[in-house]
Amino acid sequence: MVVDLYDAAVAQFDEAAERLGLAHSLRALLREPKRELIVHFPVRMDDGDVRIFTGYRVQHNIARGPAKGGIRFSPCVTLDEMRALAMWMTWKCAVVGIPFGGAKGGVICEPHTMSRAELERMTRRYAIEIAHLMGPDSDIPAPDMNTNPQIMGWMMDAYSMHLGYPVPATVTGKPLALGGSAGRLEATARGIQVVTREAMRCLGIEPQDCSVVVQGFGNVGSITARLLNRLGCTIVGISDIEGGVYNPHGIDVPMALHYVEEHGCLIGMPGTETVTNSELLELPCDVLVPAALENQITGRNAARIKARLLVEAANGPTTPEADAILNQRGVMVVPDILANAGGVTVSYFEWVQGLQRFFWSEQEVNNRLDSIMRSAYQAVYERSCTQQTNLRLGAYLLAVARVAEATELRGLYL
Ligand code: NAD
């Protein structure tokens, strides 16, 4: 059964809150987003028509610092999805120990059917609609599904024009020429590479004996496949929205990237067998990396997952029902709030560099990222061992305790 994302997020929080023995008032506070903004705004389309779009910005908790979270452009964006993703951002920032709260935003639209000029007008207008929440000290958007550095550049420009001076630190994931950080584009995948390497070590899997399947071949999936391949793993299956390709002897990842550039999708790549996205998830492999979207591993397919290790690159790819089945079957799951935190970690570096107007080399960014992801994995692993639980609950216990402590220390305003 596919579950509502917000229900799933609250259920995960409730389990941790119960274990931590949080006071009822604190639980009630942390279950709800702090702020929810809904905007309806007009955009002139290329044919002269004016269309009304709906957008959201949700801030879940800002006890540990300014709100931080991506902007999604998709026809599937809903307020509940934003609430779930904002809450996960709060825990994600806490689990890697960076000083941000959680937020998420999005616009209901079909970005692939819009021209570049329409996308730019919609992005600029949306940025101004949420501008009273935005700012380097208050709320810092970033890219997410179907948004990219160019869209962040337009958001930063709209916000800066509104104030009359440049404010680069108000968004992250910007192009390098606008104050973006070296290494930001690869950061989420690099973080996944680090936690996968650490988890493989715990399971005694050597990279050269390890087969990997990656669902999703966008920013996160394609770079993850490349980096895990570079680590020595054999990538046996990859997919995009059209379907997947499989070769038990290994797929040439640079060639796959090249093939997608030329053909727009993976299907038909020479030397591979075509599989559907649901078949892909059930392929024989050691490591499965869902890097596309939520609700992919459910009660329906969890029992047939062959991987020993599942690394959640996407947000919310595993439903709670599937999680229980995997747990019972002894499949190790590195949870999204830890696995894909590399992106927000380098967003934090970009924000720090922007505020200081002092930029780091790619090597410096990568070294700091490696160190934060390794320590976070270690802290989660130790927590899950001492509490005799899985990595997901270990990560939640760590993150929720940090946010609860900060919230309590700040106290009530009146
Ligand atoms: P993207 O848009 O670059 O890529 C998404 C990929 O998934 C594409 O290859 C697309 O074809 C594929 N896809 C879409 N629908 C699919 C479906 N129904 N079945 C199979 N494949 C499908 O997005 P991204 O930035 O790579 O993000 C992927 C996931 O990672 C999302 O859940 C996102 O929230 C999460 N994430 C991204 C970042 C980041 O820095 N980009 C950070 C943290 C988490």
Side-chain angles (χ1 to χ4, degrees):
M1 188 184 60
V2 171
V3 293
D4 178 88
L5 274 198
Y6 186 51
D7 289 346
V10 169
Q12 290 163 341
F13 163 71
D14 281 345
E15 193 180 354
E18 184 64 30
R19 279 265 200 145
L20 290 166
L22 292 193
H24 284 288
S25 54
L26 191 53
R27 273 188 219 196
L29 184 67
L30 295 180
R31 280 174 124 238
E32 304 286 346
K34 178 176 176 62
R35 289 194 183 102
E36 302 178 344
L37 175 65
I38 305 176
V39 291
H40 305 286
F41 57 92
V43 176
R44 193 171 300 283
M45 307 307 279
D46 291 346
D47 62 5
D49 246 23
V50 172
R51 197 185 301 164
I52 310 303
F53 287 86
T54 297
Y56 305 98
R57 185 68 179 167
V58 173
Q59 297 178 350
H60 171 254
N61 181 283
I62 51 172
R64 299 181 61 259
K68 187 88 191 77
I71 304 289
R72 215 169 243 213
F73 287 172
S74 158
C76 307
V77 162
T78 63
L79 183 56
D80 262 3
E81 181 191 52
M82 296 292 108
R83 287 175 172 145
L85 291 163
M87 184 188 268
W88 283 331
M89 283 305 295
T90 301
W91 313 138
K92 198 178 294 185
C93 294
V95 100
V96 285
I98 58 176
F100 288 134
K104 206 76 181 189
V107 179
I108 304 172
C109 63
E110 300 257 13
H112 302 302
T113 65
M114 294 168 71
S115 70
R116 180 182 162 93
E118 287 171 340
L119 263 182
E120 177 173 355
R121 288 195 291 272
M122 187 192 76
T123 302
R124 287 181 178 279
R125 180 65 194 240
Y126 168 69
I128 295 307
E129 294 286 344
I130 66 162
H132 59 290
L133 293 183
M134 275 171 69
D137 294 322
S138 53
D139 188 336
I140 308 135
D144 191 73
M145 216 182 266
N146 297 324
T147 57
N148 56 31
Q150 174 60 80
I151 286 170
M152 294 305 112
W154 290 330
M155 287 193 75
M156 175 265 188
D157 183 68
Y159 181 82
S160 300
M161 294 303 285
H162 195 58
L163 294 192
Y165 52 89
V167 193
T170 197
V171 293
T172 60
K174 299 178 294 292
L176 276 177
L178 292 180
S181 176
R184 172 63 185 90
L185 212 58
E186 301 83 18
T188 304
R190 202 169 282 283
I192 291 159
Q193 184 198 31
V194 174
V195 296
T196 307
R197 187 187 67 204
E198 297 300 309
M200 277 164 50
R201 226 172 252 162
C202 288
L203 292 173
I205 306 176
E206 291 296 332
Q208 59 275 15
D209 302 327
C210 178
S211 55
V212 178
V213 167
V214 182
Q215 184 197 38
F217 208 60
N219 171 276
V220 179
S222 67
I223 305 176
T224 297
R226 205 182 71 208
L227 293 178
L228 290 179
N229 191 212
R230 213 177 277 166
L231 199 64
C233 304
T234 306
I235 311 299
V236 295
I238 48 180
S239 75
D240 56 33
I241 192 164
E242 306 291 334
V245 292
Y246 173 57
N247 181 342
H249 306 295
I251 293 169
D252 184 330
V253 179
M255 193 196 276
L257 285 162
H258 194 65
Y259 187 85
V260 168
E261 239 170 60
E262 279 195 348
H263 298 85
C265 68
L266 287 159
I267 289 181
M269 187 186 157
T272 64
E273 183 187 318
T274 300
V275 290
T276 65
N277 258 299
S278 44
E279 286 166 347
L280 180 105
L281 296 171
E282 299 172 18
L283 287 173
C285 63
D286 298 299
V287 180
L288 175 63
V289 185
L293 70 173
E294 47 274 353
N295 281 332
Q296 294 303 292
I297 296 134
T298 67
R300 271 206 304 263
N301 60 5
R304 293 192 299 272
I305 300 292
K306 315 265 185 328
R308 286 193 277 165
L309 171 62
L310 192 151
V311 183
E312 294 185 331
N315 287 307
T318 314
T319 65
E321 191 186 358
D323 211 27
I325 297 169
L326 295 173
N327 200 30
Q328 195 233 333
R329 292 184 51 224
V331 177
M332 187 181 202
V333 178
V334 184
D336 47 8
I337 60 167
L338 169 64
N340 68 33
V344 75
T345 301
V346 175
S347 271
Y348 164 58
F349 297 163
E350 180 176 334
W351 178 74
V352 169
Q353 293 169 82
L355 292 177
Q356 297 184 339
R357 267 73 167 169
F358 181 74
F359 292 88
W360 312 344
S361 69
E362 186 168 353
Q363 196 54 49
E364 212 168 341
V365 168
N366 290 346
N367 289 346
R368 287 179 198 261
L369 173 63
D370 194 282
S371 149
I372 287 185
M373 292 303 297
R374 245 184 313 124
S375 315
Y377 178 87
Q378 212 46 47
V380 167
Y381 182 72
E382 279 163 20
R383 189 76 167 214
S384 64
C385 289
T386 53
Q387 299 289 313
Q388 297 189 327
T389 183
N390 58 25
L391 290 179
R392 188 181 315 278
L393 189 53
Y396 269 81
L397 291 173
L398 198 69
V400 172
R402 285 176 177 166
V403 176
E405 184 188 8
T407 305
E408 278 190 318
L409 283 170
R410 287 185 59 165
L412 301 183
Y413 176 56
L414 281 176

